[in-house]
Amino acid sequence: MPPAPTVEGRPNWSDKQGRILTGDGQITQLYTPERGFPFADEELPHHHLRNKTTTPAFRQWRKDGRTNELIAGAWCRPLFVGGWEHSDSTQEKVFNLQTRSLFIDIRIPQSSLVRFRDHTSLDTMSADELVLFAQRHAFAGYSVVSGSPPRCVRHHAIDWNYVGAPRPRPNKWRIEMGRSGDVWKEWGWPTDQFGQHVYMERWERLPNGSGKSIALRRSTPGERDAFLIVVGDHFNYIVNRTPTALPAPAPASLGAAAAKMARDENRAGLEALLGLRAGHGTVSSGWRVDAALHPWEEGLTLFGPGDITVSDAGEFAWHGQPWEMFENDFTIEETRALFLGVPSFSKL
């Protein structure tokens, strides 16, 4: 096997994240029914994505009241530890926005901020740079929180890392909330023979990262799936890659798919694979993006005057396309003020 690609001499960021998440590979042996950790296919993060049932499933869970305020907020991740390694906010920017139901979670390695800052599109990168560019992450979907002690199962509707091969274990973890409600720990669900969890993520609330929230999902047939979430002063957006961008047969990982396309000189396929967009910003800045998977989107605004309409019935449209108001704490008047009172800047 060729050595893993590096960014500025550092080990592969995505591979390291995977080692931490799995406790350096322990999770395969730990997450089994025989050890007291059974799971159903419906718990797997890509079950509904693969079966194209995320829309009806999410709506049914909302109707059934499977919502929870415990971890609602805008969060950063100061620490991620598992196995013999850790990463922290000096190594990646993380913006995790969670409502009572939907989430968008964005993770960008700090090393890439320097390497790719002068690029204006995927077109300006070499094939080798595109392979390195695959080392980042964003995903969105529905968080089902239940039980005592509380635990969460996340179901992915959009996933940067999903290229056809589903994750074989649930994205499931125990929640330990701090007394202030502004910090909590995510403990990987299976434990080892000593009762220790396979990994831990420490989450801290971002400044102005609480308050009213809104969650929107693009509902236009034939368009790429997309989510927009606002919590307090923060927003995250995510737009899926085109379905035809997924390679066949399904590779083991996004990194493997990108490397193969580069070797095969499949430039168009490689750019389509990396076409998933996601970013974070603040409402108070005039909806300006301050962090994005595609760095050339940073500094732009999400939309401008006239782009969005909100009807008297609360129907939301962006560039004339309908978006489902999946969750909204605001009145119609407040919603209009939130989205329509924007300055005129360059927009995405």
Side-chain angles (χ1 to χ4, degrees):
M1 293 290 291
T6 61
V7 179
E8 299 175 349
R10 300 183 184 183
N12 184 301
W13 178 85
S14 296
D15 285 354
K16 179 180 178 181
Q17 296 285 297
R19 290 193 302 272
I20 296 173
L21 182 70
T22 62
D24 199 23
Q26 292 185 79
I27 199 167
T28 303
Q29 291 75 40
L30 298 179
Y31 212 147
T32 66
E34 295 76 16
R35 297 193 67 258
F37 300 103
F39 57 86
D41 287 347
E42 289 77 11
E43 287 187 282
L44 295 173
H46 302 124
H47 172 82
H48 290 289
L49 175 58
R50 296 187 75 204
N51 289 287
K52 298 180 172 60
T53 54
T54 61
T55 296
F58 291 3
R59 288 173 177 169
Q60 187 63 50
W61 295 339
R62 178 186 57 187
K63 180 180 178 181
D64 293 343
R66 299 180 72 181
T67 60
N68 195 294
E69 295 185 356
L70 182 61
I71 56 172
W75 308 95
C76 65
R77 188 183 70 181
L79 182 63
F80 180 28
V81 59
W84 303 100
E85 298 177 274
H86 79 278
S87 67
D88 55 41
S89 54
T90 67
Q91 298 177 44
E92 61 255 352
K93 284 186 174 182
V94 177
F95 300 96
N96 179 13
L97 265 61
Q98 173 73 60
T99 71
R100 292 182 296 274
S101 56
L102 300 185
F103 72 90
I104 302 175
D105 196 331
I106 301 169
R107 307 171 181 190
I108 306 169
Q110 294 278 12
S111 58
S112 74
L113 301 178
V114 176
R115 185 177 187 94
F116 300 113
R117 66 184 176 188
D118 294 329
H119 286 285
T120 56
S121 71
L122 295 173
D123 291 340
T124 64
M125 296 184 192
S126 68
D128 287 343
E129 285 177 319
L130 288 173
V131 173
L132 295 177
F133 190 78
Q135 296 180 37
R136 57 203 60 235
H137 193 26
F139 58 118
Y142 198 111
S143 296
V144 178
V145 178
S146 62
S148 181
R151 55 189 178 273
C152 177
V153 177
R154 274 187 162 178
H155 301 266
H156 305 188
I158 300 175
D159 191 334
W160 174 269
N161 284 339
Y162 177 74
V163 288
R167 184 166 154 176
R169 294 167 298 275
N171 183 356
K172 184 176 182 178
W173 23 274
R174 181 171 69 82
I175 302 165
E176 181 185 357
M177 181 60 67
R179 287 187 295 272
S180 68
D182 292 327
V183 60
W184 55 281
K185 295 177 181 178
E186 170 185 331
W187 295 99
W189 185 244
T191 55
D192 63 16
Q193 65 271 33
F194 304 107
Q196 297 186 32
H197 294 266
V198 68
Y199 75 86
M200 185 277 288
E201 295 179 78
R202 186 176 187 271
W203 297 97
E204 290 185 6
R205 194 182 302 276
L206 289 163
N208 302 311
S210 61
K212 292 184 177 182
S213 64
I214 186 169
L216 297 151
R217 186 177 187 181
R218 181 154 58 187
S219 53
T220 307
E223 293 290 337
R224 292 193 285 173
D225 198 5
F227 289 74
L228 171 63
I229 289 177
V230 180
V231 179
D233 189 37
H234 298 265
F235 69 84
N236 274 2
Y237 65 89
I238 189 167
V239 183
N240 204 5
R241 57 173 68 90
T242 59
T244 55
L246 294 182
S253 67
L254 174 66
K260 183 178 187 304
M261 287 181 174
R263 290 195 301 269
D264 295 344
E265 299 184 352
N266 182 2
R267 176 83 190 200
L270 184 51
E271 290 192 19
L273 189 69
L274 304 177
L276 188 153
R277 299 167 49 219
H280 166 272
T282 54
V283 177
S284 61
S285 69
W287 294 88
R288 190 176 295 275
V289 178
D290 57 29
L293 292 186
H294 294 176
W296 45 90
E297 294 185 355
E298 295 175 7
L300 302 179
T301 55
L302 200 58
F303 52 83
D307 290 351
I308 287 175
T309 60
V310 182
S311 74
D312 291 340
E315 297 166 330
F316 186 98
W318 193 347
H319 292 299
Q321 296 180 345
W323 285 61
E324 179 181 5
M325 196 83 73
F326 195 88
E327 187 179 324
N328 189 7
D329 294 335
F330 298 91
T331 65
I332 291 176
E333 291 76 15
E334 289 172 334
T335 302
R336 284 177 173 154
L338 180 68
F339 288 103
L340 305 185
V342 297
S344 180
F345 294 129
S346 297
K347 57 179 182 273
L348 290 172

